[in-house]
Each structure stands twice: as C-alpha cells, then as structure tokens.
C-alpha cells in the first residue's frame, strides 16, 4: 500500500477567498472566538498570524478585513477536493478539521489517497505527484504532501519538512527502512494525538518518536492508554490502519464565495471560468459528460437563482462553455449582489465512444458546426425557444411527427429508427386542415387552385370506427404559392393541409 496524505493548512481561509484573483494585496484574516485563525500573505506582511486577538491584529493593520470562519464552507470545499481526488484514485478518504478539533487537536483538514493502484495509469509516482500539485495550485489550494505505508505514517511524514523536500526532489516511494528512519527521527509533537498527550510526552523528556518506540509498549499503555498504543502500531505498520472510504455522488458541485459581493454579471465570468475548468478536468478523467450546466447565483439571505446552459453534445472545451455561459448571463438582471457562485451538474452520464469521435475528431465537420449553432441559439433565446422533431408511427401526416424536448443530432443510426416517407412533403404543416371552397368543380383558397401533382392516397385506420381515406395533391394558387391539399374520400370535402416553401 502506498498512501499519500495531502494536508490543507489554509482551508479556513481558502474556503472564503478562493475566488480572489492572484496577487490580491488586500489583507484578510479569518477569525473565530475573537482570535485570528488564518491570515493571507498580505496580512502576514503586517505581522498578523494565527493566535492573535482581533484587537491586536487590527492594531497592526488598520486596513485588515476580518472574515468569520465558516465551517460549512470548509466542509463543502473538502468534499469538492475529495471529488477531485477521486478522479485520480478510487480510494480516497477526507478528514475534516472539525473531526480533529473534537479530539482537542489543531491538525488541519487533509485527504488520504491510496496510490499503488493508480501509478501505471498516470505514468509513475513522480508524474502523478506533479499533476496533483499542479492542479491544487490551479485551484488556489495551499497544500503539502507526505507519503507513507499507512495513512497514519503518511500524515506524520507530511508534517516533516525533510521528508517533503526529499519527496519533491526524488518523486519516488521510500523503502521500508527509509520509512522507519523518517518516523523514528520525527519530533514527538508531530504525532497525531491530543495536545495533552504531546505535553505529557515532552514532560517525560520524549522529544523524538525513536525515544517513544524504545519504551516497552506495556509501559506506554499504562501512561497514555490503549488508544495510543493502537496508534503507534498503525504508525509502525504492525496493525491495519483502515480509514473511511469516500464514495462521490454521481454529480459535480463546486462553489466560490466572494467576501465582497459582485453586482455585475460581467464580473461573474472570471470565477465561472475557474469552475468550468475544474469541471472539465474531472469529467474528462472520469469519462463522463453533463448535458447541462446549472449555475447557482447565491444572494445570501435574499435566496438563490439558477441559470441553466443546455448542451447538445459532450463538450469539454472551457472556452466554449464560458462563451455559452456568457450568453446566458447577459440575459440575467441581478436583483441583488452575488455572494457566491456555484456550478452544479446533477446528470453526469457515461461518455460513449461515438460521442468522443464526434467531439475530438470531427472539429471541421458540418455536424460539429450544427451543434455549436444549436447551443448558441439555446443560450441566446432560452431552452424553451428551441425544440426538435421526431417521427411517430402513424398513417396520418398530422400524427406522424411530434415535438421533441431537445434537439438531438445523430450522425449514425442507433437501434430502431423510423424512416421518413420519400414522397414530397410541405415545410409547413397546418395543425388542423383548413377547408377549401368548391364551386363548379373548381377549388378556391385565396383565389382559384390548380392541381399539379397527385393523387397520393393515404388510407388508414380502416379497422377503427373513424376511417381516414384521403387523396393528396400539390396545388398552385393564382399567386404562385404551392399548397398541399387533399380530398376526404368519405365526405368528398377538400382541405388545405400544408404549404411548401
């Protein structure tokens, strides 16, 4: 087993400021119980650090902006990161800071990833670690990593600067001997136990893990309890170290919070681009696609508003998705400043090989251009403004088609398909046939009609009470318009049923 622990030391701050642009120089600090929990780089330049009281921090920097810690947003961001990590390995376990807090510990939230089954797919350990670090950097998530034979060992080593440097330089898994050496020389304060237990260790003169391991376990148990002995066994690898496995929901959900609400839809495009890129990376890696993007504009206490972007085909190009989103947002009038922007995709579907070929290898095809046109029209006019047409099994022309909810283009037939009739049909079919006047065996509809072609007999439903027997003709009016007319063979009345273009 090869476990990677990704520590997230600035999660309380980044859950609230991840939407900020790079290089933002506004000093910010997250507070809880009248104390500074975390501060950004600009605030750190004013000597503001965790543990300071709010009064002291404000005395150091008059421009300091204070943000109340939001544990719910931290949990949400941790779930998003677990969902992201799941696209690299199926064995992921998130550990929240709240869980550590209940144990009277100050450990930050972290993610455990079991990597031994994913190395081959990503070209080895070094490329995989490089890719993980690069994507975390793009998501503006501060992190540091540790590699171990168990989750407990990886957690301990992730806090050891020497191990992190060695891992960054070599990108290889340590041997069992190296692991034992790293753990033995680690300071006792890095052990994953309560502050009270750490204080007890230091009071006993145990400042290194090697000193602790040299003591018989029975003596350690008498002084620190059985749970501490179990932890040491898991750290050494002499006992299984199970962690709760994360199973992501079949959906994507990510959100960016704005400490300073945005009152212009144009300003939403930058954070929207970041969310779209996160979505595309995860969907491509998990071989899924979403037929719709659902943007959630959060107005705080004033509620939320959803903006949907429908897609006619699997699309993974962030630029095109942003362009479609821009068309939708231009139609939205913001009733209130937006405090958070979320992206939800609740209908993730498996990507089929045919869809992949259409997307990646048919860039210049007419079908590809048609898809783009449909998506743009939907974004500009709204989803309800467009609908498709599908065939139905019926003899009667007015019953041989139906309006489809969405426009779906298929370059290749799949399964049972109804073939359209080969006879000429008008572009415009009246929903209800319009009666034509007859006089002296001549037909009049906005002038006299001249029959040009026909008849084409349609005779169906004779086995039912209402038989439909019609003779259809193509007729020309005095103005030159071409009409599709028929004579009802039962009543001998004439009707106009369609208009040719």
């Amino acid at each position: 087993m090869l476990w990677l622990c990704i520590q997230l030391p600035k999660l309380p701050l980044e859950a609230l400021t991840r939407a900020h642009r790079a290089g933002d120089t506004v000093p910010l600090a997250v507070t809880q119980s009248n104390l500074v929990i975390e501060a950004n780089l600009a605030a750190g330049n004013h000597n503001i650090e965790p543990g300071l009281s709010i009064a002291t921090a404000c005395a150091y920097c008059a421009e300091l902006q204070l943000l109340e810690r939001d544990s719910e947003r931290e949990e949400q961001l941790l779930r998003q990161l677990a969902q992201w990590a799941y696209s690299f390995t199926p064995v992921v376990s998130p550990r929240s800071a709240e869980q550590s807090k209940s144990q009277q510990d100050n450990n930050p939230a972290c993610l455990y990833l079991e990597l031994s089954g994913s190395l081959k797919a990503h070209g080895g350990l070094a490329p995989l670690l490089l890719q993980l670090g690069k994507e975390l950097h793009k998501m503006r998530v501060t992190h540091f990593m540790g590699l171990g034979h168990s989750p407990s060992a990886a957690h301990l080593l992730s806090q050891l600067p020497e191990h992190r440097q060695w891992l960054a330089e070599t990108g290889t898994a340590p041997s069992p001997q190296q692991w034992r050496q790293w753990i033995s020389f680690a300071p006792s304060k890095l052990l994953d136990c309560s502050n009270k237990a750490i204080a007890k260790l230091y009071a006993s003169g145990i400042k290194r893990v090697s000193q602790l391991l040299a003591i018989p376990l029975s003596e350690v148990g008498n002084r620190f309890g059985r749970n501490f002995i179990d932890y040491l066994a898991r750290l050494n690898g002499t006992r299984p170290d199970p962690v709760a496995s994360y199973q992501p929901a079949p959906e994507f959900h990510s959100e960016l919070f704005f400490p300073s609400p945005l009152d212009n839809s144009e300003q939403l495009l930058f954070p929207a681009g970041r969310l779209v890129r996160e979505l595309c990376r995860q969907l491509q890696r998990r071989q899924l696609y979403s037929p719709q993007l659902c943007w959630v504009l959060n107005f705080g206490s004033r509620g939320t508003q959803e903006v949907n972007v429908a897609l006619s085909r699997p699309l993974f190009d962030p630029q095109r998705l942003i362009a479609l989103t821009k068309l939708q947002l231009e139609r939205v009038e913001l009733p209130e400043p937006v405090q958070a922007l979320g992206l939800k995709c609740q209908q993730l579907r498996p990507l089929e090989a045919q869809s992949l070929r259409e997307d990646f290898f048919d860039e210049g095809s007419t079908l590809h251009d048609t898809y783009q046109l449909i998506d743009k029209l939907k974004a500009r006019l709204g989803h309800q403004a467009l609908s498709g047409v599908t065939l139905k099994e019926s003899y009667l022309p007015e019953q041989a088609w139906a309006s489809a909810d969405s426009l779906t283009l298929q370059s290749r037939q799949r399964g049972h398909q109804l073939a359209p009739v080969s006879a000429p049909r008008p572009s415009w079919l009246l929903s209800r046939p319009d009666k034509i006047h007859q006089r002296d065996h001549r037909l009049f509809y906005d002038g006299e009609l001249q029959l040009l072609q026909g008849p084409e007999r349609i005779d169906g439903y004779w086995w039912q009470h209402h038989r439909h027997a019609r003779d259809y003709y193509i007729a020309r009016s005095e103005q030159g318009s071409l009409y599709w007319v028929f004579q009802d063979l039962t009543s001998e009345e004439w009707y106009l049923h369609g208009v040719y273009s």
Side-chain angles (χ1 to χ4, degrees):
M1 304 288 279
L2 188 62
W3 286 90
L4 179 72
C5 176
I6 304 177
Q7 296 251 9
L8 309 167
K10 292 186 176 296
L11 203 66
L13 175 69
E14 287 158 351
L16 300 174
T17 62
R18 204 163 64 95
H20 282 197
R21 293 176 183 269
D24 202 332
T25 57
V26 177
L28 293 169
V30 180
T31 64
Q32 184 181 36
S33 303
N34 208 32
L35 293 176
V36 173
I37 300 299
E38 196 56 67
N40 67 352
L41 183 60
N45 294 334
H46 291 83
N47 298 321
I48 296 171
E49 56 186 17
L52 284 181
S53 67
I54 292 179
T56 305
C58 291
Y60 283 164
C61 178
E63 298 82 21
L64 181 66
Q65 291 188 12
L66 301 176
L67 302 172
E68 187 69 24
R69 184 175 188 178
D70 192 333
S71 300
E72 187 177 344
R73 291 196 182 280
E74 286 180 42
E75 286 294 314
Q76 184 178 350
L77 179 56
L78 184 61
R79 286 196 298 271
Q80 294 172 19
L81 292 173
Q83 190 179 44
W84 159 81
Y86 191 81
S87 60
F88 287 92
T89 170
V91 185
V92 177
S93 179
R95 173 175 156 172
S96 67
E98 288 297 321
Q99 181 182 348
S100 300
K101 185 180 176 182
S102 65
Q103 298 169 357
Q104 298 180 353
D105 198 354
N106 293 322
N107 282 334
C110 64
L111 289 172
Y112 295 113
L113 282 70
E114 206 289 306
L115 299 182
S116 60
S118 307
L119 297 179
K120 188 175 181 181
H122 293 86
L125 181 60
L128 178 54
L129 294 179
L130 186 63
Q131 185 69 20
L132 288 168
K134 189 183 297 182
E135 295 197 11
L136 283 170
H137 179 71
K138 286 182 180 177
M139 290 188 285
R140 308 277 181 82
V141 174
T142 306
H143 64 280
F144 45 84
M145 302 179 183
L147 204 61
H149 53 78
S150 69
S152 296
H155 185 271
L156 174 66
L157 296 178
S158 66
Q159 304 171 81
L160 204 61
E162 296 88 346
H163 172 76
R164 297 203 298 263
Q165 183 179 357
W166 180 87
L167 189 62
E169 292 175 352
T170 63
T172 58
S175 64
Q177 185 179 0
Q178 285 175 307
W179 265 324
R180 283 193 291 271
Q181 189 175 3
W182 286 118
I183 292 173
S184 296
F185 285 98
S188 301
K189 63 180 180 182
L190 300 184
L191 291 172
D192 190 14
C193 53
S194 65
N195 289 334
K196 186 177 178 181
I198 297 294
K200 204 183 258 188
L201 286 172
Y202 272 74
S204 305
I206 302 174
K207 298 182 179 179
R208 295 280 175 186
V209 176
S210 56
Q211 295 174 275
L212 182 63
L213 296 178
I215 303 174
L217 289 179
S218 57
E219 294 185 19
V220 175
N222 291 335
R223 193 172 182 83
F224 297 97
R226 184 170 184 79
N227 289 338
F228 192 74
I229 294 179
D230 290 343
Y231 168 65
L232 291 180
R234 287 186 278 114
L235 190 64
N236 275 330
T238 56
R239 184 169 295 180
D241 189 12
V243 290
S245 183
Y246 169 76
Q247 290 298 322
E251 62 180 24
F252 174 87
H253 184 204
S254 186
E255 186 182 58
L256 292 176
F257 174 75
F258 312 120
S260 300
L262 307 180
D263 55 4
N264 190 329
S265 60
E266 188 75 18
Q267 296 174 329
L268 295 174
L269 293 178
F270 176 74
R274 292 180 52 190
L275 294 177
V276 162
R277 281 187 282 275
E278 290 179 17
L279 170 69
C280 291
R281 282 195 293 268
Q282 291 195 30
L283 291 184
Q284 284 183 291
R285 202 170 287 134
R286 295 173 61 184
Q287 295 291 292
L288 299 172
Y289 79 96
S290 173
Q292 178 173 278
L293 307 183
C294 179
W295 295 99
V296 182
L297 310 182
N298 190 331
F299 305 113
S301 61
R302 301 299 181 93
T304 61
Q305 179 180 352
E306 292 189 355
V307 179
N308 295 317
V309 178
L311 304 175
S312 301
R313 61 175 182 126
L315 186 60
F316 302 104
D317 188 342
Q319 297 301 325
R320 290 178 180 165
L321 290 175
I322 285 297
L324 295 175
T325 299
K326 182 181 178 182
L327 291 175
Q328 285 282 20
L329 291 179
E330 286 175 349
R331 304 169 62 234
V332 176
E333 292 186 6
L334 300 180
E336 298 288 339
V338 179
Q339 293 191 357
L341 177 66
L343 174 57
K344 289 194 304 184
C345 297
Q346 297 179 320
Q347 300 177 4
L348 300 186
R349 298 174 182 174
L351 198 61
E352 299 177 2
Q354 176 65 18
S355 301
L356 276 173
R357 282 195 293 272
E358 290 173 359
D359 185 38
F360 294 116
F361 299 105
D362 293 349
E363 288 293 327
S365 69
T366 305
L367 186 64
H368 183 81
D369 295 337
T370 307
Y371 278 128
Q372 288 189 49
L373 176 62
I374 291 173
D375 289 339
K376 287 181 180 178
L377 288 174
K378 284 183 178 178
R380 176 74 72 180
L381 304 175
H383 182 75
Q384 301 301 326
L386 294 182
S387 63
V389 175
T390 184
L391 297 177
K392 292 178 62 179
E393 290 190 25
S394 176
Y395 291 100
L396 298 181
E398 64 269 28
Q399 298 178 5
W401 68 280
S403 177
D405 291 336
S406 60
L407 294 174
T408 304
L409 301 179
Q410 299 289 346
S411 60
R412 187 177 299 180
Q413 291 187 352
R414 300 169 188 168
H416 175 65
Q417 298 285 333
L418 292 176
V421 294
S422 57
R425 290 289 183 265
S427 304
W428 188 270
L429 193 70
L430 302 186
S431 57
R432 179 175 298 176
D434 198 4
K435 194 172 182 180
I436 297 176
H437 298 290
Q438 304 178 59
R439 189 167 63 246
D440 300 331
H441 301 290
R442 292 184 296 173
L443 303 177
F444 295 89
Y445 189 86
D446 195 17
E448 186 175 356
L449 298 179
Q450 179 184 3
L451 299 181
L452 300 180
Q453 182 178 330
E456 175 193 354
R457 175 156 299 181
I458 296 178
D459 189 356
Y461 303 104
W462 50 266
W463 56 92
Q464 296 180 353
H465 294 296
H466 302 287
R467 180 186 178 188
H468 295 275
R470 304 170 179 175
D471 277 345
Y472 276 88
Y473 298 84
I474 297 176
R476 184 169 58 198
S477 69
E478 293 179 349
Q479 292 76 25
S481 301
L482 295 180
Y483 294 144
W484 200 39
V485 302
F486 71 86
Q487 183 184 28
D488 190 316
L489 300 182
T490 305
S491 64
E492 296 187 351
E493 298 286 347
W494 285 80
Y495 296 89
L496 172 70
H497 204 176
V499 181
Y500 291 89
S501 60

